[in-house]
Amino acid sequence: MHDFMSVNNERHLVMGGCDMAQVAQKYGTPLYVMDENVIRANCRVYKNAIDTCYSGNGLILYASKALCNLETVRIVASEGLGIDVVSGGELYTALRAGMDVSKICMHGNNKTRAELEMAISSGVGRIVVDNLFELDQIDAIAAEHGVRQKVLFRIKPGIDAHTHNFVMTGQIDSRFGFALETGEARAAILRAFKCNSICVAGVHCHIGSQIFEADPFEEAARVLMRFIAEIRDESGVELTELNLGGGFGVVYTPEDDPIEFGDYIEAVSRIVKTAAVEHSLKMPFIMMEPGRSIVAEAGITLYTVGAIKDIPEVRRYVTVDGGIGDNPRYILYGSKYAALIANKADAEVTQSVTIAGKCCESGDLIGENMPLADVSIGDILALLTTGAYNYSMSSNYNRNLRPAMVMVKDGRDRLVMKRETYEDIIRNDV
Ligand SMILES: *Cc1c(COP(=O)(O)O)cnc(C)c1O
């Protein structure tokens, strides 16, 4: 378990000062539970790193695709963060939660015209341009609204960051953004300088996710600073904003060993400062876009254990009352998780099991070869590190109801998302 969790006298898992077996009883399962203080602490680590490494000349944008609902947006906003949105739905949520529009950054590799209109008319601070078709649309829509829209350009810096290693590759075969090495990025920016309703503020890159080392981030910063210098040398215009994306790794199982978030930022800031001196550039305004690392570890999913099936010599299936509907990451990526039994949280691991869901899909697994204590029907299983890319990737497959979400803090629990109802399930049926 994570160090902010503990076990009480009844042997129950405690998070945010609340007994998770009791919380499961109170709200039912499956249930997402988030620890508010952990989210806030993560926001502060990033914010403090911007303050200390860049003298506050920067902004942390929470990548809301990791977990997007009103309460999460309110929490990150109250910590002074801005937000990344990649769709009209995320933008709508951010606006309704009261996020300062100037701190909203709109992403997406195929933003629709309606989404661009919504973003520009609501006054979002920045749009990250993915392609030329979109550049022209933004220019036209901004002109209609009589504004100059600030944009960044999404650059493929030619760095392929894998989870445990990274290699420099062409990476031209990425769907996102403009390639550097072909001259595509340079040409796009030079063209944008001529657009009357576009203000080109800077460049952006996002090199991957669940990355455990600082090196790929450092390399990306080096490449983009050099590119800013090249654009200045050619056009005389010095871009002032540098967005280095997200992707910082978190702990799913004890095998994961990421470096501290603040250490990434410090390492990268050294590169940016050195590059600024080397190329005689002013220090740019720095943005970073952590998603997973803000919310993943703060969240758990509570399930009730149902049937336990032994297939002799093969495996033991422990089924739970959720599955790919609330967590499709195993079927999508083979992601690993750690689980424990919330109502006997200190019990020794005695076996290795396959945890399966309740959907009519043989791939509906939470994980295989998962170490677990003795488990019985009716136990509450806590799956750890589900705060990111679980609810946000959830579905109603098999017309299962999406779980509720509870926020815990200082011994108090509160509902932040209701459990869906059968009425919700047929709401859009005609
Ligand atoms: C997904 C994404 C992020 C966040 O990535 P994490 O791994 O969740 O930190 C940031 N920026 C962009 C452009 C993304 O697509």
Side-chain angles (χ1 to χ4, degrees), residues 99-119:
M99 175 60 74
D100 175 349
V101 278
S102 71
K103 290 185 179 177
I104 299 179
C105 180
M106 180 86 185
H107 273 282
N109 72 303
N110 187 22
K111 305 170 191 76
T112 64
R113 183 166 178 106
E115 285 171 332
L116 288 172
E117 265 170 4
M118 183 177 172

Side-chain angles (χ1 to χ4, degrees), residues 36-278:
E36 179 174 343
N37 285 339
V38 174
I39 301 175
R40 289 187 181 277
N42 290 336
C43 291
R44 283 171 204 171
V45 168
Y46 282 110
K47 192 142 190 306
N48 291 343
I50 286 282
D51 290 345
T52 52
C53 299
Y54 297 103
S55 316
N57 186 36
L59 179 63
I60 298 295
L61 301 163
Y62 167 60
S64 69
K65 71 177 194 270
L67 173 63
C68 190
N69 56 37
L70 293 175
E71 188 63 1
T72 306
V73 177
R74 289 184 201 115
I75 290 169
V76 301
S78 76
E79 292 295 334
L81 273 61
I83 201 165
D84 267 3
V85 296
V86 297
S87 69
E90 288 181 359
L91 174 56
Y92 186 77
T93 309
L95 292 170
R96 287 293 299 267
M99 175 60 74
D100 175 349
V101 278
S102 71
K103 290 185 179 177
I104 299 179
C105 180
M106 180 86 185
H107 273 282
N109 72 303
N110 187 22
K111 305 170 191 76
T112 64
R113 183 166 178 106
E115 285 171 332
L116 288 172
E117 265 170 4
M118 183 177 172
I120 292 166
S121 65
S122 52
V124 301
R126 297 169 182 85
I127 298 179
V128 178
V129 181
D130 179 88
N131 57 72
L132 289 179
F133 169 61
E134 182 177 294
L135 176 68
D136 293 341
Q137 278 195 313
I138 295 170
D139 192 30
I141 297 168
E144 280 163 28
H145 286 82
V147 295
R148 268 187 97 208
Q149 178 64 48
K150 193 198 261 198
V151 303
L152 307 177
F153 277 78
R154 177 148 189 174
I155 309 294
K156 293 187 266 189
I159 294 160
D160 191 359
H162 293 300
T163 302
H164 285 289
N165 65 331
F166 76 98
V167 286
M168 296 286 292
T169 72
Q171 254 245 323
I172 288 171
D173 184 16
S174 159
R175 211 152 47 82
F176 304 101
F178 297 92
L180 260 194
E181 57 274 55
T182 59
E184 189 189 16
R186 171 191 155 274
I189 289 175
L190 296 180
R191 172 158 155 188
F193 285 150
K194 301 200 189 102
C195 295
N196 291 329
S197 302
I198 298 253
C199 164
V200 184
V203 286
H204 165 275
C205 72
H206 171 70
I207 52 175
S209 203
Q210 186 64 353
I211 300 168
F212 287 95
E213 303 120 337
D215 321 32
F217 293 107
E218 293 175 327
E219 192 52 32
R222 204 175 279 126
V223 168
L224 288 195
M225 286 296 282
R226 195 188 310 131
F227 180 59
I228 290 175
E230 283 165 18
I231 294 286
R232 182 222 28 218
D233 294 346
E234 183 162 356
S235 69
V237 180
E238 186 170 325
L239 302 178
T240 56
E241 298 192 348
L242 177 60
N243 182 331
L244 294 164
F248 313 100
V250 304
V251 176
Y252 284 99
T253 71
E255 289 160 31
D256 296 328
D257 187 21
I259 60 173
E260 299 287 327
F261 311 143
D263 293 349
Y264 286 105
I265 300 183
E266 215 218 305
V268 173
S269 75
R270 266 182 262 124
I271 301 291
V272 176
K273 284 173 194 159
T274 309
V277 172
E278 188 188 326

Side-chain angles (χ1 to χ4, degrees), residues 262-321:
D263 293 349
Y264 286 105
I265 300 183
E266 215 218 305
V268 173
S269 75
R270 266 182 262 124
I271 301 291
V272 176
K273 284 173 194 159
T274 309
V277 172
E278 188 188 326
H279 302 295
S280 321
L281 292 167
K282 286 196 251 342
M283 270 301 279
F285 183 80
I286 298 290
M287 282 163 282
M288 287 187 204
E289 308 173 321
R292 187 190 311 272
S293 52
I294 298 282
V295 289
E297 292 175 12
I300 65 174
T301 307
L302 298 175
Y303 300 105
T304 301
V305 173
I308 298 170
K309 294 187 184 171
D310 280 314
I311 304 183
E313 316 287 322
V314 182
R315 64 170 93 206
R316 168 172 285 179
Y317 281 106
V318 175
T319 50
V320 295
D321 53 355

Side-chain angles (χ1 to χ4, degrees), residues 295-355:
V295 289
E297 292 175 12
I300 65 174
T301 307
L302 298 175
Y303 300 105
T304 301
V305 173
I308 298 170
K309 294 187 184 171
D310 280 314
I311 304 183
E313 316 287 322
V314 182
R315 64 170 93 206
R316 168 172 285 179
Y317 281 106
V318 175
T319 50
V320 295
D321 53 355
I324 50 172
D326 60 82
N327 183 356
R329 291 187 67 253
Y330 185 79
I331 201 167
L332 278 174
Y333 316 115
S335 312
K336 288 193 173 156
Y337 285 99
L340 55 90
I341 299 169
N343 50 301
K344 39 188 175 193
D346 59 355
E348 296 278 317
V349 167
T350 53
Q351 56 182 340
S352 173
V353 302
T354 294
I355 301 178

